[in-house]
Amino acid sequence: MKYLLCISAYFLMLPIYGQSNIDSLRKVWNNENLADSIRISCINKIAWDGFLFTDPDSAFYYAKQHYDFAQKRGYAKEMAVALNTQGTAFYMLGNYAKAIECYYQSLSVKEKLKDYKGIAATLNNIGMIYDDQGDHDKAIEHYEGAIESFERISKEKVIDYQVLVASYHNIGALYVNTNNFPKALEYFNRSLELTTESKFLRERAYAYSNMGYIFLELKETQKSKVYFGKAYDILKNLGDENGMIGALNNFGFLYVTQQQYPQAIAHATEALDRAQKIDATTQIKNAAQSLYLSYKELKQFDLALSMHELYINSRDSIESDKNKLEVLRQEFKYKYERQAAADSVAYAAQRQIQELKISEQQTELEAEKIQRLLLYSIMGLLTILAIGGYKGYKRKQLANCIITKQKLEVEEQRDKIAEQHRLLEENSLKLIEFNNNLEAQVAERTSELESSLNQIRNYQFALAHKIRAPYVSLVGLLNLIEDDRFDSNENKAVLEKLDDTSKRITTVLQDIAVELNAFDTEK
């Protein structure tokens, strides 16, 4: 059970003007001798205060007169105001498409004029349409846009902040509906920051009431009770009977959730009595529901049944009221379309003029857009050239570094080649010297070899002559021994000769060995 008291942004219900007051305003409007500002103020009050919330179809008629007059005089701000009133008339008729069209035309003019207060109001109105259609994301987007516009307005202008408080409250209520309680609390706290004990008290009470509901949903019953109490005290001081009944119902539902049924019955019964006196159907339904739940838990079934029947009847009555409202909207829509068809020729001509004016404005915007694009293009080209020049400079700098490095490497290679050439010349000289020394050594060795060969020849010759005589003697002696004529007496002498010969041969061989060793040593 939600007890949301959501403030509708910008659509703040003002006292309805009586017929006599409207007649006097018409007289002022038709008096061409008066200042334009006075006449415009009157026609705006006739449309907005006189008919908007009772006869939107007539409100649109007067808002159109307001727009035509402002357009003829060149009052752009008043054109935007008239378009906003026309959009609101369409909103009341349920024609959201036409309402959005008028609002966006109004918004375009206000943005050119930098009318931040007007921008905020129109954004709030657009947000209300998206809110009604269930598009919460777009509704929040426009509400937040309204808040951003209000932040540009001096905080000293207190009157500007009533709609800002409503914007925060609307966003908070949207987040409550989607169960995003942290976000909802954030926006309700912002709403509270702009209210005080003497300013926007009703809005402050509504914020406390919604925050109490959030804490109840979060099972923080003590906090919930505190905020419900704050809301009740403010509403009581204001004498807001409907608000006090809502606060009593809040307490009744709180005690139901805590299973404190006697306390719930006490608060809900008081709320029901007060609601029945002023015929507040919604409050009767809420009180009956709390009483039904309490009596049922206390086993008081007769009372529970009677409260349940009251709850059902009240709920059906509310749904019936909604149906009547929808029928009324459809009736307004039908009357408007019929009147628009009767005035189609004149309306079409006026519409053509308006479209021509809008076309001219769009042409101006396109020209400004082209100028901006041209400026951005030039800036972009200059940026590209600057980047290109910088990159060229960096490339040139890099190339110079590479050339310098390569030059150093070439000089280093040249030094290495010169060093190798010097070493090659030194090795060549050494090789020439070595070759010269080698020839001398070869000649010297050749001479030594020839000398050795001569010695060997001499040894051969000496050996041949020295060994020949002993060898011949030895052979002769051996022949004598083999001769049969050789007798034993001669053997001794032969043997002595053989011994002597063998000794001579041994001596010769020893001499040869010594000479050969000496020759080897010389080599």
Side-chain angles (χ1 to χ4, degrees), residues 78-102:
E78 290 301 326
M79 289 169 60
V81 172
L83 285 169
N84 188 76
T85 306
Q86 291 178 33
T88 307
F90 282 124
Y91 174 85
M92 300 300 293
L93 290 167
N95 192 338
Y96 291 159
K98 286 287 186 180
I100 283 282
E101 181 182 354
C102 291

mmCIF file of all heavy atoms in Angstrom, residues 78-102:
data_model
loop_
_atom_site.group_PDB
_atom_site.id
_atom_site.type_symbol
_atom_site.label_atom_id
_atom_site.label_comp_id
_atom_site.label_asym_id
_atom_site.label_seq_id
_atom_site.Cartn_x
_atom_site.Cartn_y
_atom_site.Cartn_z
ATOM 1 N N GLU A 78 6.776 35.761 -25.463
ATOM 2 C CA GLU A 78 5.342 35.536 -25.318
ATOM 3 C C GLU A 78 4.849 34.441 -26.273
ATOM 4 O O GLU A 78 3.905 33.711 -25.956
ATOM 5 C CB GLU A 78 4.582 36.843 -25.571
ATOM 6 C CG GLU A 78 4.766 37.889 -24.489
ATOM 7 C CD GLU A 78 4.309 37.390 -23.128
ATOM 8 O OE1 GLU A 78 3.336 36.613 -23.061
ATOM 9 O OE2 GLU A 78 4.916 37.772 -22.109
ATOM 10 N N MET A 79 5.482 34.306 -27.446
ATOM 11 C CA MET A 79 5.150 33.196 -28.355
ATOM 12 C C MET A 79 5.418 31.857 -27.666
ATOM 13 O O MET A 79 4.621 30.922 -27.755
ATOM 14 C CB MET A 79 5.976 33.305 -29.639
ATOM 15 C CG MET A 79 5.580 34.455 -30.560
ATOM 16 S SD MET A 79 6.785 34.740 -31.883
ATOM 17 C CE MET A 79 6.740 33.146 -32.707
ATOM 18 N N ALA A 80 6.547 31.803 -26.953
ATOM 19 C CA ALA A 80 6.901 30.569 -26.238
ATOM 20 C C ALA A 80 5.896 30.266 -25.131
ATOM 21 O O ALA A 80 5.500 29.108 -24.931
ATOM 22 C CB ALA A 80 8.304 30.684 -25.658
ATOM 23 N N VAL A 81 5.448 31.316 -24.419
ATOM 24 C CA VAL A 81 4.452 31.131 -23.355
ATOM 25 C C VAL A 81 3.145 30.609 -23.931
ATOM 26 O O VAL A 81 2.519 29.679 -23.398
ATOM 27 C CB VAL A 81 4.221 32.459 -22.596
ATOM 28 C CG1 VAL A 81 3.050 32.318 -21.621
ATOM 29 C CG2 VAL A 81 5.478 32.872 -21.842
ATOM 30 N N ALA A 82 2.709 31.205 -25.062
ATOM 31 C CA ALA A 82 1.464 30.784 -25.697
ATOM 32 C C ALA A 82 1.550 29.338 -26.187
ATOM 33 O O ALA A 82 0.600 28.555 -26.048
ATOM 34 C CB ALA A 82 1.135 31.714 -26.858
ATOM 35 N N LEU A 83 2.702 28.958 -26.756
ATOM 36 C CA LEU A 83 2.894 27.571 -27.207
ATOM 37 C C LEU A 83 2.838 26.602 -26.022
ATOM 38 O O LEU A 83 2.297 25.500 -26.132
ATOM 39 C CB LEU A 83 4.236 27.436 -27.939
ATOM 40 C CG LEU A 83 4.289 28.008 -29.355
ATOM 41 C CD1 LEU A 83 5.722 28.060 -29.854
ATOM 42 C CD2 LEU A 83 3.431 27.158 -30.302
ATOM 43 N N ASN A 84 3.387 27.024 -24.900
ATOM 44 C CA ASN A 84 3.336 26.176 -23.703
ATOM 45 C C ASN A 84 1.896 25.973 -23.239
ATOM 46 O O ASN A 84 1.498 24.864 -22.859
ATOM 47 C CB ASN A 84 4.165 26.814 -22.588
ATOM 48 C CG ASN A 84 4.321 25.897 -21.384
ATOM 49 O OD1 ASN A 84 5.097 24.955 -21.425
ATOM 50 N ND2 ASN A 84 3.578 26.167 -20.328
ATOM 51 N N THR A 85 1.091 27.037 -23.287
ATOM 52 C CA THR A 85 -0.322 26.918 -22.906
ATOM 53 C C THR A 85 -1.068 26.002 -23.872
ATOM 54 O O THR A 85 -1.882 25.176 -23.450
ATOM 55 C CB THR A 85 -0.978 28.303 -22.887
ATOM 56 O OG1 THR A 85 -0.222 29.178 -22.040
ATOM 57 C CG2 THR A 85 -2.404 28.222 -22.369
ATOM 58 N N GLN A 86 -0.790 26.136 -25.166
ATOM 59 C CA GLN A 86 -1.425 25.260 -26.155
ATOM 60 C C GLN A 86 -1.053 23.793 -25.890
ATOM 61 O O GLN A 86 -1.910 22.904 -25.952
ATOM 62 C CB GLN A 86 -0.985 25.656 -27.566
ATOM 63 C CG GLN A 86 -1.516 26.995 -28.035
ATOM 64 C CD GLN A 86 -1.005 27.363 -29.412
ATOM 65 O OE1 GLN A 86 -0.783 26.496 -30.250
ATOM 66 N NE2 GLN A 86 -0.813 28.656 -29.654
ATOM 67 N N GLY A 87 0.227 23.561 -25.591
ATOM 68 C CA GLY A 87 0.661 22.194 -25.286
ATOM 69 C C GLY A 87 -0.063 21.638 -24.077
ATOM 70 O O GLY A 87 -0.461 20.461 -24.044
ATOM 71 N N THR A 88 -0.256 22.478 -23.052
ATOM 72 C CA THR A 88 -0.953 22.041 -21.845
ATOM 73 C C THR A 88 -2.421 21.730 -22.139
ATOM 74 O O THR A 88 -3.003 20.789 -21.591
ATOM 75 C CB THR A 88 -0.851 23.112 -20.753
ATOM 76 O OG1 THR A 88 0.520 23.450 -20.559
ATOM 77 C CG2 THR A 88 -1.421 22.604 -19.445
ATOM 78 N N ALA A 89 -3.039 22.525 -23.023
ATOM 79 C CA ALA A 89 -4.426 22.254 -23.423
ATOM 80 C C ALA A 89 -4.525 20.884 -24.104
ATOM 81 O O ALA A 89 -5.437 20.099 -23.819
ATOM 82 C CB ALA A 89 -4.918 23.355 -24.350
ATOM 83 N N PHE A 90 -3.598 20.604 -24.991
ATOM 84 C CA PHE A 90 -3.586 19.289 -25.645
ATOM 85 C C PHE A 90 -3.354 18.175 -24.625
ATOM 86 O O PHE A 90 -3.912 17.084 -24.725
ATOM 87 C CB PHE A 90 -2.497 19.242 -26.719
ATOM 88 C CG PHE A 90 -2.867 19.942 -28.001
ATOM 89 C CD1 PHE A 90 -2.072 20.960 -28.511
ATOM 90 C CD2 PHE A 90 -4.012 19.583 -28.692
ATOM 91 C CE1 PHE A 90 -2.403 21.597 -29.691
ATOM 92 C CE2 PHE A 90 -4.361 20.223 -29.878
ATOM 93 C CZ PHE A 90 -3.553 21.229 -30.377
ATOM 94 N N TYR A 91 -2.497 18.464 -23.627
ATOM 95 C CA TYR A 91 -2.247 17.478 -22.571
ATOM 96 C C TYR A 91 -3.542 17.150 -21.826
ATOM 97 O O TYR A 91 -3.845 15.981 -21.559
ATOM 98 C CB TYR A 91 -1.203 18.018 -21.598
ATOM 99 C CG TYR A 91 -0.968 17.132 -20.394
ATOM 100 C CD1 TYR A 91 -0.075 16.073 -20.444
ATOM 101 C CD2 TYR A 91 -1.655 17.363 -19.196
ATOM 102 C CE1 TYR A 91 0.142 15.258 -19.337
ATOM 103 C CE2 TYR A 91 -1.450 16.558 -18.092
ATOM 104 C CZ TYR A 91 -0.556 15.510 -18.168
ATOM 105 O OH TYR A 91 -0.349 14.702 -17.077
ATOM 106 N N MET A 92 -4.302 18.189 -21.486
ATOM 107 C CA MET A 92 -5.569 17.979 -20.782
ATOM 108 C C MET A 92 -6.572 17.217 -21.643
ATOM 109 O O MET A 92 -7.426 16.483 -21.134
ATOM 110 C CB MET A 92 -6.170 19.334 -20.366
ATOM 111 C CG MET A 92 -5.279 20.142 -19.429
ATOM 112 S SD MET A 92 -4.900 19.302 -17.867
ATOM 113 C CE MET A 92 -6.525 19.280 -17.111
ATOM 114 N N LEU A 93 -6.460 17.362 -22.972
ATOM 115 C CA LEU A 93 -7.338 16.628 -23.883
ATOM 116 C C LEU A 93 -6.864 15.191 -24.112
ATOM 117 O O LEU A 93 -7.555 14.404 -24.739
ATOM 118 C CB LEU A 93 -7.411 17.351 -25.238
ATOM 119 C CG LEU A 93 -8.152 18.685 -25.253
ATOM 120 C CD1 LEU A 93 -7.871 19.421 -26.544
ATOM 121 C CD2 LEU A 93 -9.655 18.451 -25.093
ATOM 122 N N GLY A 94 -5.673 14.876 -23.618
ATOM 123 C CA GLY A 94 -5.125 13.536 -23.816
ATOM 124 C C GLY A 94 -4.431 13.366 -25.152
ATOM 125 O O GLY A 94 -4.057 12.247 -25.526
ATOM 126 N N ASN A 95 -4.244 14.469 -25.892
ATOM 127 C CA ASN A 95 -3.569 14.401 -27.186
ATOM 128 C C ASN A 95 -2.081 14.661 -26.960
ATOM 129 O O ASN A 95 -1.577 15.761 -27.155
ATOM 130 C CB ASN A 95 -4.164 15.436 -28.150
ATOM 131 C CG ASN A 95 -3.703 15.227 -29.580
ATOM 132 O OD1 ASN A 95 -2.679 14.620 -29.815
ATOM 133 N ND2 ASN A 95 -4.479 15.744 -30.521
ATOM 134 N N TYR A 96 -1.373 13.618 -26.550
ATOM 135 C CA TYR A 96 0.023 13.772 -26.174
ATOM 136 C C TYR A 96 0.908 14.138 -27.362
ATOM 137 O O TYR A 96 1.906 14.854 -27.211
ATOM 138 C CB TYR A 96 0.535 12.492 -25.515
ATOM 139 C CG TYR A 96 -0.064 12.231 -24.146
ATOM 140 C CD1 TYR A 96 -0.066 10.947 -23.604
ATOM 141 C CD2 TYR A 96 -0.612 13.253 -23.402
ATOM 142 C CE1 TYR A 96 -0.616 10.702 -22.355
ATOM 143 C CE2 TYR A 96 -1.159 13.018 -22.151
ATOM 144 C CZ TYR A 96 -1.159 11.743 -21.625
ATOM 145 O OH TYR A 96 -1.697 11.514 -20.391
ATOM 146 N N ALA A 97 0.588 13.643 -28.537
ATOM 147 C CA ALA A 97 1.411 13.928 -29.712
ATOM 148 C C ALA A 97 1.425 15.426 -30.007
ATOM 149 O O ALA A 97 2.488 16.024 -30.228
ATOM 150 C CB ALA A 97 0.889 13.154 -30.921
ATOM 151 N N LYS A 98 0.238 16.066 -30.027
ATOM 152 C CA LYS A 98 0.158 17.507 -30.256
ATOM 153 C C LYS A 98 0.792 18.284 -29.096
ATOM 154 O O LYS A 98 1.420 19.331 -29.296
ATOM 155 C CB LYS A 98 -1.304 17.926 -30.430
ATOM 156 C CG LYS A 98 -1.908 17.524 -31.764
ATOM 157 C CD LYS A 98 -1.336 18.397 -32.876
ATOM 158 C CE LYS A 98 -2.040 18.115 -34.199
ATOM 159 N NZ LYS A 98 -1.494 18.963 -35.287
ATOM 160 N N ALA A 99 0.599 17.780 -27.879
ATOM 161 C CA ALA A 99 1.172 18.452 -26.707
ATOM 162 C C ALA A 99 2.697 18.490 -26.804
ATOM 163 O O ALA A 99 3.326 19.538 -26.606
ATOM 164 C CB ALA A 99 0.734 17.742 -25.430
ATOM 165 N N ILE A 100 3.281 17.349 -27.140
ATOM 166 C CA ILE A 100 4.738 17.269 -27.279
ATOM 167 C C ILE A 100 5.223 18.225 -28.369
ATOM 168 O O ILE A 100 6.238 18.912 -28.219
ATOM 169 C CB ILE A 100 5.153 15.820 -27.614
ATOM 170 C CG1 ILE A 100 5.097 14.942 -26.360
ATOM 171 C CG2 ILE A 100 6.551 15.774 -28.215
ATOM 172 C CD1 ILE A 100 6.263 15.114 -25.426
ATOM 173 N N GLU A 101 4.482 18.284 -29.481
ATOM 174 C CA GLU A 101 4.865 19.167 -30.587
ATOM 175 C C GLU A 101 4.918 20.620 -30.122
ATOM 176 O O GLU A 101 5.882 21.338 -30.390
ATOM 177 C CB GLU A 101 3.873 19.002 -31.740
ATOM 178 C CG GLU A 101 4.192 19.873 -32.954
ATOM 179 C CD GLU A 101 3.161 19.732 -34.060
ATOM 180 O OE1 GLU A 101 2.261 18.871 -33.931
ATOM 181 O OE2 GLU A 101 3.247 20.489 -35.045
ATOM 182 N N CYS A 102 3.866 21.078 -29.431
ATOM 183 C CA CYS A 102 3.835 22.464 -28.936
ATOM 184 C C CYS A 102 4.936 22.720 -27.910
ATOM 185 O O CYS A 102 5.587 23.772 -27.912
ATOM 186 C CB CYS A 102 2.471 22.773 -28.334
ATOM 187 S SG CYS A 102 1.129 22.848 -29.543
#
